[in-house]
C-alpha cells in the first residue's frame, strides 16, 4: 500500500504533504508554547502593576503612610512577591528585598532580573516594575517567575515529545493520502490498459450520483472520452465495411464495361456514358464520405457567418423545381412569420439540405408533395424537409442516420417498381445523405430529428442560437 518509488510524482506529493503537515504541527506547538508564556507574563505584569499603581495612588491621596499601609499588607501575604521602598538616600524604608538592583531605573518599565527574597536563600528570576514617588522615594514591586519557568520547562519537554509524534503522524498521513490518490489514479490507468488491450467497453468505476470530487469528474470525463472513442472506432469499422460493400458493385460494373470496351473494335457511346456515370457515382460517394469526416472533425467552424435560411430554402426550391416537375412532385415552401437567419456554414448547410431534398425526391415522389420550411424556435432555428412517401419506421431511424446505414428489404422493394433499388433513405443509395445532414447539424451544435409526416418522413435540423464553438 505504501510502496512508493523515489523521485516519482507520488513520492514528491508524499514528501510535500509530510513537510507541510510536520511544519504545521511544529508551528502550532511553538505558537502554543509562546502563547502560554505570553499569557503568564501578562498575568504577572497585571498583578505587580496593580500593587504599584495602588501604592502610588495612595501616596497621592494619603501620603507616605497610606502607601506604606498598602505595601505592608501585601508583604503580610505569603508568596513569591518582593517589594522595595527606598528613601531619597537609597536606604530601605520597607520591603523584603535588601538592595535596589543596579542598572534599574524608576521609570515604570518591566525588568527580568535575578534577586533574592529576604525569606529565601536562593536567587530566583523575578519580573519587576518600578515607580518614581514624590520626595525622591522609589518603589520596586516584583514577582518570582519560578513557577512560570517550571511550567515553561514542562511545556518545552512536552514539545520535544510531541514533535516526533507529530512527525510520525504527518508521515503516516502523507503516505495514506498518497495511497488514496494512487489508488484513484490506478483505477484510470487500469482502464487505459484494458482499452489498449482491446477491451473498448471498459469504463472507470464511479459511485452513483453526481461527481463528488475532482477524481469523479475526471473519471466521468474519461468515460465520456472512451465512449466517444468506441463510437468513432465502431463508425470507422462501419465506414470500412460500407465502403467495401458499396464500392464492390460499381467497381465490378465499371470493370465489366471497360473490359467490354477493350474487347470491342468500336467504342460504344452508351458504354462510355455508363463508365462515366459509374466513375461519377464513385467520386460522389467518396466526396460525401470525406465531407462527413470533415464535419465530424469540426472543420469549417471558422467559416461561420450569418445565413438567411429563408432565402436558402427558397433558392433550393427554385433550383430543384424542374427536376421535381419531371417526377410529378410539387414543392411547398412553408412561410415563416419572420426572416429566419442563423450563424452557420452556408455551403455545408446548403449541401445537407440539398441531400435531404434529393432523398425526398427519390423516395417520397409518390406522395406528390414535398414541404420545405425555415422557422424560428425558442432555442434557435429549424430547417424542415417533409415528404409523403413510405417513410421510415421508428425502429429504423437510428440506423438510417448512421453512415452507410441500411434499412430493410421491404422498403427497398417500394422503389424497385420505380426503377431504383432502394437500400435505405440515403444519398444515391450509399447511406450518406442523412449521415451528412446529421454531421453538419452536429458541427453547428444542433440536432437532426426524423419524424412521421403522416404519411411520409419529416426531417428537421435544429440549430442553436449560438454555435457550438462559442
Amino acid at each position: 500500500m505504501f510502496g512508493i518509488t523515489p523521485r516519482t510524482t507520488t513520492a514528491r506529493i508524499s514528501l510535500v504533504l509530510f513537510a507541510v503537515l510536520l511544519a504545521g504541527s511544529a508551528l502550532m506547538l511553538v505558537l502554543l508554547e509562546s502563547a502560554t508564556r505570553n499569557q503568564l507574563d501578562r498575568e504577572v505584569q497585571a498583578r505587580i502593576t496593580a500593587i504599584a499603581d495602588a501604592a502610588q495612588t495612595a501616596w497621592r491621596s494619603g501620603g507616605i503612610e497610606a502607601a506604606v499601609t498598602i505595601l505592608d499588607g501585601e508583604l503580610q501575604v505569603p508568596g513569591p512577591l518582593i517589594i522595595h521602598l527606598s528613601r531619597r538616600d537609597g536606604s530601605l524604608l520597607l520591603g523584603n528585598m535588601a538592595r535596589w538592583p543596579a542598572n534599574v531605573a524608576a521609570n515604570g518599565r518591566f525588568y527580568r532580573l535575578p534577586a533574592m527574597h529576604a525569606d529565601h536563600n536562593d536567587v530566583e528570576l523575578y519580573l519587576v516594575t518600578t515607580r518614581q514617588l514624590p520626595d525622591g522615594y522609589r518603589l520596586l514591586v516584583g514577582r518570582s517567575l519560578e513557577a512560570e519557568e517550571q511550567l515553561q520547562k514542562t511545556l518545552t519537554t512536552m514539545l520535544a515529545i510531541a514533535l516526533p509524534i507529530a512527525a510520525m503522524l504527518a508521515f503516516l498521513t502523507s503516505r495514506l493520502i498518497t495511497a488514496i490518490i494512487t489508488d484513484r489514479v490506478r483505477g484510470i490507468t487500469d482502464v487505459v490498459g484494458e482499452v489498449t488491450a482491446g477491451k473498448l467497453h471498459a469504463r472507470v468505476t464511479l459511485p452513483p450520483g453526481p461527481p463528488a470530487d475532482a477524481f469523479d469528474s475526471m473519471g466521468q470525463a474519461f468515460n465520456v472520452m472512451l465512449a466517444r472513442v468506441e463510437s468513432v472506432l465502431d463508425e470507422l469499422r462501419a465506414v470500412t465495411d460500407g465502403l467495401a460493400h458499396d464500392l464492390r458493385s460499381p467497381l465490378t460494373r465499371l470493370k465489366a464495361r471497360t473490359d467490354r470496351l477493350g474487347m470491342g473494335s468500336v467504342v460504344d457511346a452508351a458504354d462510355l456514358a455508363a463508365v462515366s456515370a459509374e466513375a461519377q457515382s464513385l467520386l460522389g460517394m467518396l466526396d460525401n464520405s470525406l465531407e462527413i469526416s470533415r464535419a465530424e472533425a469540426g472543420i469549417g467552424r471558422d467559416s461561420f457567418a450569418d445565413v438567411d435560411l429563408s432565402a436558402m430554402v427558397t433558392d433550393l426550391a427554385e433550383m430543384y423545381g424542374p427536376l421535381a416537375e419531371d417526377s410529378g412532385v410539387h414543392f411547398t415552401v412553408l412561410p415563416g412569420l419572420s426572416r429566419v437567419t442563423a450563424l452557420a456554414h452556408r455551403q455545408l448547410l446548403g449541401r445537407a439540405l440539398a441531400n435531404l431534398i434529393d432523398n425526398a425526391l427519390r423516395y417520397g415522389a409518390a406522395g406528390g408533395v414535398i414541404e420545405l420550411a425555415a422557422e424560428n424556435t425558442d432555442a434557435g432555428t429549424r430547417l424542415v424537409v417533409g415528404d409523403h412517401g413510405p417513410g421510415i419506421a421508428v425502429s429504423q431511424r437510428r440506423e438510417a442516420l448512421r453512415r452507410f446505414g441500411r434499412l430493410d428489404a421491404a422498403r427497398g422493394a417500394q422503389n424497385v417498381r420505380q426503377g431504383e433499388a432502394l437500400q435505405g433513405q440515403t444519398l444515391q443509395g450509399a447511406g450518406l445523405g442523412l449521415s451528412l445532414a446529421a454531421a453538419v447539424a452536429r458541427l453547428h451544435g444542433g440536432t437532426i430529428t426524423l419524424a412521421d409526416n403522416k404519411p411520409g418522413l419529416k426531417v428537421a435540423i435544429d440549430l442553436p442560437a449560438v454555435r457550438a464553438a462559442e
Side-chain angles (χ1 to χ4, degrees):
M1 176 180 177
F2 292 137
I4 297 178
T5 305
R7 295 188 299 276
T8 62
T9 300
T10 50
R12 290 194 292 270
I13 292 175
S14 178
L15 181 61
V16 169
L17 286 174
F18 171 72
V20 171
L21 291 173
L22 179 59
S25 301
L27 180 61
M28 183 177 62
L29 292 173
V30 170
L31 290 176
L32 177 62
E33 191 271 342
S34 177
T36 303
R37 178 185 293 273
N38 292 334
Q39 181 62 32
L40 292 174
D41 284 350
R42 284 193 294 270
E43 291 178 358
V44 174
Q45 289 175 8
R47 174 62 178 159
I48 61 178
T49 298
I51 296 173
D53 289 344
Q56 195 171 20
T57 302
W59 189 298
R60 294 193 189 99
S61 60
I64 187 173
E65 292 82 4
V68 168
T69 300
I70 290 179
L71 294 174
D72 187 59
E74 294 290 342
L75 288 172
Q76 299 306 315
V77 179
L81 190 68
I82 59 171
I83 294 177
H84 183 100
L85 178 61
S86 64
R87 299 181 180 89
R88 182 182 302 176
D89 58 4
S91 60
L92 177 64
L93 174 64
L94 176 70
N96 56 4
M97 190 174 85
R99 291 185 301 274
W100 186 276
N103 302 322
V104 175
N107 53 14
R109 295 181 180 178
F110 292 96
Y111 296 90
R112 285 177 177 267
L113 50 87
M116 182 181 292
H117 194 283
D119 298 333
H120 303 162
N121 295 323
D122 296 329
V123 176
E124 298 178 3
L125 183 66
Y126 284 82
L127 179 66
V128 302
T129 185
T130 60
R131 295 290 188 275
Q132 183 67 52
L133 300 176
D135 301 329
Y137 285 85
R138 293 184 301 174
L139 174 63
L140 179 147
V141 180
R143 185 179 179 86
S144 173
L145 297 176
E146 184 66 24
E148 287 77 5
E149 288 297 317
Q150 290 297 328
L151 181 57
Q152 289 295 331
K153 289 179 181 179
T154 302
L155 287 175
T156 302
T157 302
M158 294 302 297
L159 179 62
I161 296 174
L163 278 177
I165 297 176
M168 182 177 296
L169 290 176
F171 175 76
L172 293 176
T173 303
S174 65
R175 299 303 293 270
L176 179 61
I177 293 175
T178 304
I180 294 174
I181 295 174
T182 303
D183 184 65
R184 296 298 300 271
V185 174
R186 185 180 293 116
I188 296 178
T189 57
D190 290 344
V191 172
V192 172
E194 293 182 26
V195 172
T196 303
K199 299 179 180 179
L200 299 180
H201 61 278
R203 297 292 184 271
V204 179
T205 302
L206 297 173
D213 53 28
F215 287 103
D216 288 347
S217 298
M218 181 172 63
Q220 189 178 63
F222 201 77
N223 285 344
V224 172
M225 181 190 69
L226 290 178
R228 178 59 179 161
V229 169
E230 185 178 16
S231 174
V232 169
L233 291 178
D234 289 342
E235 184 74 13
L236 180 61
R237 282 192 289 267
V239 169
T240 305
D241 295 342
L243 280 174
H245 178 274
D246 285 282
L247 291 177
R248 180 182 297 275
S249 295
L251 286 176
T252 300
R253 292 193 300 269
L254 186 62
K255 183 178 184 304
R257 292 183 185 278
T258 54
D259 289 344
R260 187 163 61 247
L261 287 174
M263 290 184 298
S265 57
V266 179
V267 177
D268 190 345
D271 285 337
L272 283 177
V275 169
S276 177
E278 294 289 357
Q280 186 63 36
S281 176
L282 290 173
L283 287 175
M285 188 185 306
L286 294 176
D287 285 344
N288 280 282
S289 295
L290 178 61
E291 203 70 54
I292 294 173
S293 299
R294 288 171 60 86
E296 290 179 340
I299 299 174
R301 287 198 178 103
D302 55 348
S303 299
F304 279 26
D306 286 328
V307 177
D308 188 339
L309 302 184
S310 305
M312 177 184 290
V313 168
T314 302
D315 293 343
L316 287 172
E318 293 177 355
M319 182 176 69
Y320 279 90
L323 181 61
E325 291 179 1
D326 293 342
S327 302
V329 177
H330 172 67
F331 274 116
T332 299
V333 180
L334 302 178
L337 298 178
S338 60
R339 182 170 175 263
V340 181
T341 62
L343 192 63
H345 192 296
R346 181 180 181 83
Q347 287 75 22
L348 285 178
L349 196 59
R351 179 80 173 274
L353 195 58
N355 284 346
L356 296 180
I357 295 174
D358 278 336
N359 284 346
L361 286 172
R362 182 172 294 108
Y363 308 123
V369 178
I370 294 177
E371 295 99 359
L372 304 178
E375 56 191 17
N376 291 309
T377 64
D378 293 338
T381 56
R382 173 178 294 170
L383 292 169
V384 179
V385 177
D387 62 59
H388 294 277
I392 298 177
V394 175
S395 60
Q396 295 179 313
R397 289 172 187 172
R398 183 174 181 179
E399 177 67 14
L401 289 172
R402 188 175 61 82
R403 197 185 310 192
F404 296 105
R406 297 295 177 183
L407 304 186
D408 57 25
R411 186 168 163 78
Q414 187 80 20
N415 281 280
V416 171
R417 293 188 297 269
Q418 300 177 13
E420 296 179 18
L422 176 62
Q423 298 286 337
Q425 185 91 352
T426 58
L427 177 66
Q428 297 178 352
L432 296 174
L434 289 174
S435 180
L436 175 59
V440 171
R442 288 193 295 270
L443 175 69
H444 289 77
T447 58
I448 186 170
T449 305
L450 306 186
D452 190 0
N453 205 28
K454 298 180 181 181
L457 180 69
K458 178 188 288 185
V459 183
I461 297 178
D462 288 287
L463 304 179
V466 180
R467 62 187 172 122
E470 296 176 349

